[in-house]
Amino acid sequence: MIKGIGVDIAEIDRVRQIYGRHSRFADKILTPEEMDIFLTKKTEKAKMTYLTGRFSAKESFTKAMGTGLGKIGFHDLSVLNYESGQPYIKTDIFEGNIQISISDTDDLVITEVIIEENKEDK
């Protein structure tokens, strides 16, 4: 059963500006696993798209959970990718199924998260 749906859209340039002003911004948003991937990105564009995507995905997750940021922190979940490229969310704070989609253009990243409770979680 669907517990919640969260959608977020974020401007890559806005994240780039924040990152430029606050060098620890990526540390605040990314888990160590995500940071390892961030550091392998070869261009600023790729790094900022990745960072924006993780920021937006975590926003979407907290919206789906019905909490918003604050009760759930950025480091409470990691947004990673399978070898196929498909994203997934790794977290200990929700045990049901989590579906995630991340899309981007040159300027924007949009994410959607759907969380489903297991039947025994009702």
Side-chain angles (χ1 to χ4, degrees):
M1 181 168 96
I2 293 178
K3 175 181 171 57
I5 299 172
V7 176
D8 188 71
I9 189 166
E11 296 177 56
I12 297 169
D13 194 50
R14 182 168 179 257
V15 170
R16 179 184 293 112
Q17 289 172 10
I18 295 169
Y19 180 75
R21 288 192 308 261
H22 305 284
S23 61
R24 300 206 30 102
F25 182 69
D27 294 321
K28 179 181 174 184
I29 304 302
L30 303 175
T31 63
E33 253 180 312
E34 293 167 320
M35 181 60 80
D36 289 345
I37 297 164
F38 175 76
L39 294 173
T40 68
K41 302 296 181 186
K42 300 202 184 305
T43 66
E44 181 194 21
K45 172 88 172 122
K47 283 183 176 184
M48 292 304 105
T49 301
Y50 181 85
L51 181 57
T52 305
R54 273 49 197 174
F55 176 85
S56 180
K58 292 175 184 193
E59 284 271 1
S60 288
F61 179 82
T62 64
K63 290 173 182 177
M65 289 290 288
T67 63
L69 286 168
K71 291 186 180 183
I72 297 174
F74 288 113
H75 286 217
D76 288 330
L77 57 146
S78 294
V79 181
L80 304 169
N81 296 81
Y82 295 113
E83 279 189 35
S84 65
Q86 178 186 6
Y88 69 95
I89 291 179
K90 179 178 157 184
T91 186
D92 292 331
I93 62 173
F94 182 75
E95 294 184 9
N97 295 319
I98 304 169
Q99 306 299 323
I100 180 170
S101 180
I102 304 172
S103 296
D104 62 83
T105 67
D106 286 340
D107 303 317
L108 301 170
V109 172
I110 186 167
T111 58
E112 180 176 30
V113 172
I114 300 171
I115 57 175
E116 300 171 291
E117 292 179 311
N118 293 328
K119 289 181 182 178
E120 59 272 4
D121 292 341
K122 289 183 185 176

